[in-house]
Amino acid sequence: MQRILKWRNYIAIPLKSDLWKPKTDFKRKTVELIKNVASNGDYVVLSEKALSTALGLLYDESIIPSDFYSKLMTFLITRVLWGKALGKLCKLSHETVELLRRYPINEGSRHKKLALKIGGLLQALKPTSEAGIDTTNVPGHLVSLPLTKPFEIACELREYIAKKLRVNLKVVIVDSDKCYKLKTSSNLILACRSTRLPSLINLGFLSFLIARSLRRFFSPYATPIGFSPLNLEVNELLIISELADRARGVGAGRTLYEVEKTFGIKATDVTWDLLNSIPHYPVVVVKKIRGLRPSSRRP
């Protein structure tokens, strides 16, 4: 039975697929998944992680040298800064704080070096999801890198769908890492990474720090990093992105620790076959329900 998630006057339909691996024809796969589900005006929401993997934007962190200075930086950022002070200030869960206090220094220092190179210091200072780099749902020491041209990909996919299915859809590419909208304003959105979303302010880890420490003033949403057409309304776009992200689920886990619990082995020993053994939902169709009174209840 197909699961459906409702929020406000929208419904999200996650579409089950096999794991997208490098060289997966994501355009053809998307059309196959949505052809009997999507109608004119619907949103087709794709996971950035799945697209990044399909396009082969993967990097093996084991080849990154772990030196004294990167280990010291990692220790100070994760175990001291976030594990002792900022974790409590940002009201992170007790489990998350404990994990940060036990953060692996050797492997973590390689990850921080990559984040520093790709996103700069404001990204490397984040406790997780640095620079849009994702460590989950890929095997071994591989990580998926952020898309470099998400808007172009969204536009090309929208045109491809229109050609193959003769329907006019809206395409959104979403990162599960959160952006934060000020509840008292429709014009202020703090983001942890760059995107061309109107009204968005990218402050890197400072966005996370401000919004989490003042969380009663901000609402978190999954981050839309690319979309087509470009004239989508911001508030609706945020709702669509968050709803689709909730409906999609977390695959093998949100963190490497959850991945290890899922499979009962070290995250670095996880293979493509193991990852393919669990359900994946790289594409979600979101429909607007006409005539329903909007609900403010989050999914």
Side-chain angles (χ1 to χ4, degrees), residues 41 94 107 136 144-146 205 214 222 234 259 290:
H94 176 74
E107 295 86 351
T136 61
S144 59
L145 303 178
F205 97 101
L214 302 173
V234 173
V259 171
R290 308 294 177 181

Side-chain angles (χ1 to χ4, degrees), residues 244-258:
D245 188 63
R246 296 290 185 95
R248 177 177 292 113
V250 297
R254 288 168 297 206
T255 66
L256 290 181
Y257 302 101
E258 290 186 3

